[in-house]
């Protein structure tokens, strides 16, 4: 698994736990980092930047997801899908080193592995609409 995909998967784990436990993502991240044995994996830095970035921009990210999720409220989405969307939207809007198609395809691939059968198509459409908005 490529390093950035591992980082996204770990960020998803942290955001999922924070969402389920109704805890701040940065607090859950701190506990996650404490549990990692040394030497720490190379992808940890990108995991940290994703979680911190999503946490810092969560209101704006959720606002966009809610606006572009046709027929879905953000709270009604599966937790995995909601947090994959958050990571991808953060990358679409705030990470210059990741091309939009890469951010979208990574979220779709992780949804294929970890969520419902309908999730990849749902996330692809949602993120594509947000990407079009972001490039205006």
């Amino acid at each position: 698994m490529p390093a950035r995909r591992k980082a996204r998967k770990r960020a998803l784990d942290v955001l999922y736990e924070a969402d389920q436990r109704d805890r701040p993502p940065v607090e859950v991240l701190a506990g996650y980092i404490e549990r990692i044995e040394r030497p720490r994996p190379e992808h940890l830095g990108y995991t940290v930047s994703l979680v911190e970035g999503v946490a810092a921009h969560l209101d704006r990210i959720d606002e966009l997801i809610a606006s572009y999720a046709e027929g879905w409220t953000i709270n009604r989405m599966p937790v995995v899908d909601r947090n994959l969307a958050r990571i991808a939207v953060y990358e679409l809007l705030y990470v210059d080193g990741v091309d939009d198609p890469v951010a979208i395809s990574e979220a779709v691939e992780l949804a294929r592995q970890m969520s419902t059968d309908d999730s990849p198509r749902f996330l692809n459409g949602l993120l594509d609409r947000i990407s079009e908005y972001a490039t205006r």
Side-chain angles (χ1 to χ4, degrees), residues 11 25 54-55 76 99 101 103 112 131:
V54 168
R76 198 172 137 238
D99 293 333
R112 225 179 242 110
S131 173

Side-chain angles (χ1 to χ4, degrees), residues 29 113 120:
L29 176 64
Q113 296 171 17

Side-chain angles (χ1 to χ4, degrees), residues 66-97:
S67 295
Y68 286 89
E70 298 171 352
W72 287 86
T73 63
I74 197 160
N75 291 328
R76 198 172 137 238
M77 288 177 197
V79 178
V80 170
D81 295 1
R82 177 171 53 237
N83 286 293
L84 283 172
R86 286 172 171 161
I87 292 166
V89 171
Y90 172 72
E91 288 184 310
L92 289 170
L93 297 180
Y94 302 104
V95 180
D96 291 333

Side-chain angles (χ1 to χ4, degrees), residues 23-60:
R23 306 294 312 154
V26 176
E27 178 183 302
V28 175
L29 176 64
Y32 170 76
I33 292 171
E34 284 179 19
R35 294 188 301 268
I36 296 175
E37 293 181 24
R38 294 185 188 268
R40 293 191 169 145
E42 290 179 28
H43 64 268
L44 184 60
Y46 195 60
T47 298
V48 169
S49 70
L50 288 173
V51 173
E52 289 177 345
V54 168
H57 300 282
L58 188 59
D59 291 341
R60 178 68 178 138

